[in-house]
Amino acid sequence: MAHDDSALRPQFWQHYALNELNDEEWEALCDGCGTCCLVKFMDEDDDIVEYTDVACRLMDCSTGHCQHYETRQDYVPECIQLTMDNLPQMMWLPAHCAYKRLYQGQSLPDWHLLITEDAATTHAGMKAANIGIAGRCISERGLDDDAIEMRLVSWVDV
């Protein structure tokens, strides 16, 4: 998920609407928490989302990063590519998610890399805010639906 800083306009998230961002800016909004890659159960009638600690089979649960991010849909065709068009239907994203926050007219979290401009500070801020799946998820590999359903977590704030 590395991005080309030269393609990022200064404080673009404050000056441009989401649909005006270039590809690099769009990708730079992602904080890399991995929460969107967790298996979740959604009751659309009641607008309820329940997250599990079970991650997509491409997730490296020790680092919280996708092992094949750029080509993930080749491996997991059902992996959702977040776009401006489908963002309104994805309010199940966690409350700290930059895409969701900006869409809802909120600011980026203080710990976001675009704010801190320092990966260590961002990592420490995310850890302090209990954000991210690194070290606290398991792979979906070998688990059936019943086993996954037993692994609901309460540490994801929607």
Side-chain angles (χ1 to χ4, degrees):
M1 287 191 307
H3 53 81
D4 177 6
D5 287 341
S6 66
L8 304 181
R9 296 171 285 189
Q11 297 181 324
F12 65 87
W13 63 95
Q14 293 178 331
H15 302 294
Y16 300 95
L18 287 169
N19 62 355
E20 298 174 317
L21 303 183
N22 64 44
D23 290 343
E24 291 293 330
E25 291 166 341
W26 182 264
E27 286 294 317
L29 288 176
C30 179
D31 59 31
C33 74
T35 307
C36 59
C37 300
L38 292 175
V39 175
K40 56 204 102 9
F41 297 98
M42 295 183 256
D43 181 341
E44 294 177 22
D45 293 335
D46 292 330
D47 207 26
I48 296 172
V49 179
E50 294 180 298
Y51 277 83
T52 70
D53 67 350
V54 180
C56 168
R57 64 183 174 269
L58 295 182
M59 182 60 63
D60 178 334
C61 287
S62 63
T63 65
H65 294 113
C66 181
Q67 297 175 62
H68 298 285
Y69 181 75
E70 296 298 325
T71 57
R72 65 193 181 279
Q73 290 177 314
D74 293 343
Y75 297 92
V76 182
E78 66 274 14
C79 178
I80 297 171
Q81 174 72 42
L82 181 61
T83 66
M84 189 57 220
D85 291 337
N86 66 12
L87 180 58
Q89 290 79 48
M90 298 180 70
M91 290 300 104
W92 49 261
L93 289 165
H96 67 269
C97 176
Y99 302 101
K100 180 177 180 176
R101 292 178 65 88
L102 293 175
Y103 179 78
Q104 294 178 327
Q106 300 170 343
S107 61
L108 294 180
D110 292 341
W111 48 257
H112 197 285
L113 183 59
L114 291 169
I115 304 293
T116 69
E117 298 182 356
D118 178 77
T121 300
T122 291
H123 179 73
M126 289 176 73
K127 187 172 177 128
N130 201 28
I131 305 297
I133 67 170
R136 59 179 178 175
C137 66
I138 65 166
S139 176
E140 68 181 344
R141 291 178 192 264
L143 295 179
D144 63 23
D145 289 344
D146 290 336
I148 293 172
E149 200 167 331
M150 299 303 294
R151 300 195 61 93
L152 297 177
V153 296
S154 60
W155 45 262
V156 178
D157 182 20
V158 181

